[in-house]
Amino acid sequence: MIHVALLSRWHVHADDYAREIRENEHLSVQVVWDEDMERGRKWAEELGVPFEPDLQSVLANPSIDAIVVNTPTNLHKEIILAAANNKKHIFTEKVLAFSVKDCEEIFDTVEAQGVKLMVSLPRLTREYYLYAKKVVDKGWLGQLTMIRCRLAHNGAVPSKGETQGWLPAQFFDKEQCGGGSLIDLGAHPIYLTNRLAGPVQALHARLQQTKKLGVDDSAVVLVEYESGALGVIETSFLSNGSPFQLELYGTEGTLLIEDERIRLKSSQLGDGEWIHPEEIDSSLPMPLEQWAAFIKDGTVPTITKEDVIHLTLINEAAALSDQESRRIEIKEIVKDRENTRVKDSSILG
């Protein structure tokens, strides 16, 4: 049995992970820590486990094998590095960190300590993504020329008689979150399009503060891929009834996914008429289940280090693009990172 400590109920998915752990025969919640002690004590009582107010005591406890991180994102690096150095396996809510440099430092430490790290990128396990990947890999679209992905909800729209939407107030705290709709909800379109369209060459982003909440509540990123394809990533906290949409266009076909409804038109299939696939591959195990298998028997997860780093890379470039109101080439971010590494190595002598 893998003994798990839950670190913070700050994130809206914390309860989901607690439930998934309880449903997994290989995992067991042993203790709760929270930077908000009142919230943590309440959660521990609900789960029927002890609350520990001292984080270091949790990390140093030899009976704890692994941690699940649901803290504010600005605490991720500090907590994950400390956990890795205490030989704890780590599952964390996205994003891993605010910069590629910090992500790489985390991975270096995790690998040096021999612990297993998983970041929750759940839509890479879903059947519609797997079908889209199959369509691209088989060449049914010909050359991919355009990709669009939209994920939005109404979390910042107050209900009648309310002063704020259903998203908790901390999701609009830039210091804790690092941003708003793009870094949070937009993460899913980013990592999906990264996988399907390949390396990004440049982008231009607009992070809109329609409601003046302190962070972006709607965002659009125009992406240029090394392949020559274009992409559009859309997200919002201000959209009521907006379906999930994933669209791929190519020289020989079109794939349209809306929520979980899929249709494909290809000059290579079905006389070029619309196809509505009835049988597609089942979803893969969810990230937390993959993490448990990774710890237990070394089963390599389908979510990779590259997925995690490239997610932060696009976020970092998009934030810079919005800040400076210009097109950003990805090599600018990579060059800055390499210069920092050279500087750091010079300081270390």
Side-chain angles (χ1 to χ4, degrees):
M1 183 67 68
I2 300 164
H3 291 170
V4 178
L6 298 178
L7 304 188
S8 183
R9 202 182 193 176
W10 178 88
H11 201 279
V12 292
H13 292 314
D15 287 348
D16 297 328
Y17 300 137
R19 184 190 69 252
E20 287 184 50
I21 290 169
R22 294 201 149 189
E23 292 172 352
N24 191 300
E25 61 180 338
H26 304 300
L27 301 171
S28 174
V29 176
Q30 297 294 305
V31 66
V32 166
W33 170 87
D34 199 307
E35 72 278 4
D36 180 328
M37 286 199 288
E38 182 179 349
R39 181 177 62 198
R41 285 195 177 96
K42 180 182 177 184
W43 197 23
E45 184 178 343
E46 290 175 14
L47 296 173
V49 300
F51 173 74
E52 172 53 66
D54 180 34
L55 177 59
Q56 187 53 43
S57 293
V58 175
L59 299 181
N61 187 339
S63 70
I64 299 298
D65 305 304
I67 63 163
V68 172
V69 180
N70 292 300
T71 65
T73 312
N74 65 335
L75 300 182
H76 278 194
K77 180 184 174 183
E78 174 188 353
I79 289 175
I80 292 171
L81 289 177
N85 286 323
N86 279 275
K87 303 291 187 181
K88 308 303 182 191
H89 303 295
I90 302 144
F91 181 93
T92 180
E93 177 57 48
K94 47 75 181 150
V95 295
L96 179 59
F98 294 147
S99 71
V100 172
K101 178 179 179 291
D102 285 349
C103 288
E104 290 176 337
E105 183 179 347
I106 290 169
F107 274 108
D108 287 347
T109 302
V110 163
E111 290 162 8
Q113 296 296 340
V115 297
K116 308 297 194 297
L117 169 66
M118 171 66 84
V119 180
S120 185
L121 308 182
R123 289 175 182 261
L124 291 177
T125 70
R126 298 296 302 275
E127 67 281 359
Y128 56 78
Y129 159 72
L130 298 174
Y131 184 76
K133 188 71 168 64
K134 176 181 176 181
V135 168
V136 171
D137 290 346
K138 286 186 173 291
W140 291 341
L141 302 181
Q143 180 184 357
L144 184 68
T145 56
M146 183 79 184
I147 186 168
R148 172 179 175 263
C149 192
R150 176 178 177 81
L151 183 62
H153 59 50
N154 65 342
V157 179
S159 301
K160 188 175 181 179
E162 301 292 332
T163 58
Q164 68 178 56
W166 55 262
L167 267 181
Q170 64 262 30
F171 272 60
F172 307 101
D173 185 322
K174 188 171 184 179
E175 181 180 356
Q176 293 186 56
C177 299
S181 61
L182 184 65
I183 200 170
D184 176 59
L185 195 58
H188 303 288
I190 291 172
Y191 64 67
L192 287 170
T193 52
N194 279 347
R195 273 279 193 98
L196 293 167
V200 175
Q201 178 175 307
L203 59 76
H204 202 136
R206 175 60 180 162
L207 279 57
Q208 187 79 3
Q209 294 193 34
T210 304
K211 294 289 188 179
K212 311 301 182 188
L213 299 170
V215 295
D216 56 286
D217 46 33
S218 294
V220 176
V221 185
L222 175 61
V223 186
E224 303 168 35
Y225 296 95
E226 290 182 5
S227 66
L230 290 175
V232 178
I233 293 167
E234 303 173 20
T235 192
S236 178
F237 289 158
L238 300 174
S239 294
N240 192 354
S242 178
F244 168 71
Q245 294 170 303
L246 177 60
E247 305 171 2
L248 293 88
Y249 302 94
T251 54
E252 296 186 44
T254 294
L255 176 65
L256 301 178
I257 299 172
E258 184 170 296
D259 288 332
E260 297 186 14
R261 296 185 296 275
I262 302 172
R263 45 187 188 134
L264 169 68
K265 179 181 285 191
S266 172
S267 59
Q268 302 178 28
L269 302 169
D271 298 321
E273 299 299 320
W274 285 108
I275 297 170
H276 301 266
E278 296 181 0
E279 294 186 11
I280 60 176
D281 294 339
S282 300
S283 296
L284 297 171
M286 287 287 280
L288 195 137
E289 187 178 349
Q290 291 195 31
W291 177 61
F294 194 21
I295 296 169
K296 180 176 175 290
D297 54 29
T299 302
V300 178
T302 60
I303 296 167
T304 68
K305 172 181 177 179
E306 288 69 29
D307 292 321
V308 173
I309 289 178
H310 290 162
L311 168 58
T312 290
L313 176 62
I314 300 308
N315 268 310
E316 197 173 353
L320 182 61
S321 173
D322 182 71
Q323 179 183 341
E324 299 188 357
S325 299
R326 67 179 179 91
R327 175 179 177 271
I328 300 295
E329 294 201 8
I330 294 301
K331 64 183 180 182
E332 295 181 49
I333 306 295
V334 174
K335 185 177 179 181
D336 286 346
R337 187 168 84 247
E338 290 173 348
N339 288 341
T340 301
R341 283 191 162 188
V342 170
K343 185 184 296 183
D344 289 346
S345 63
S346 300
I347 293 170
L348 293 172

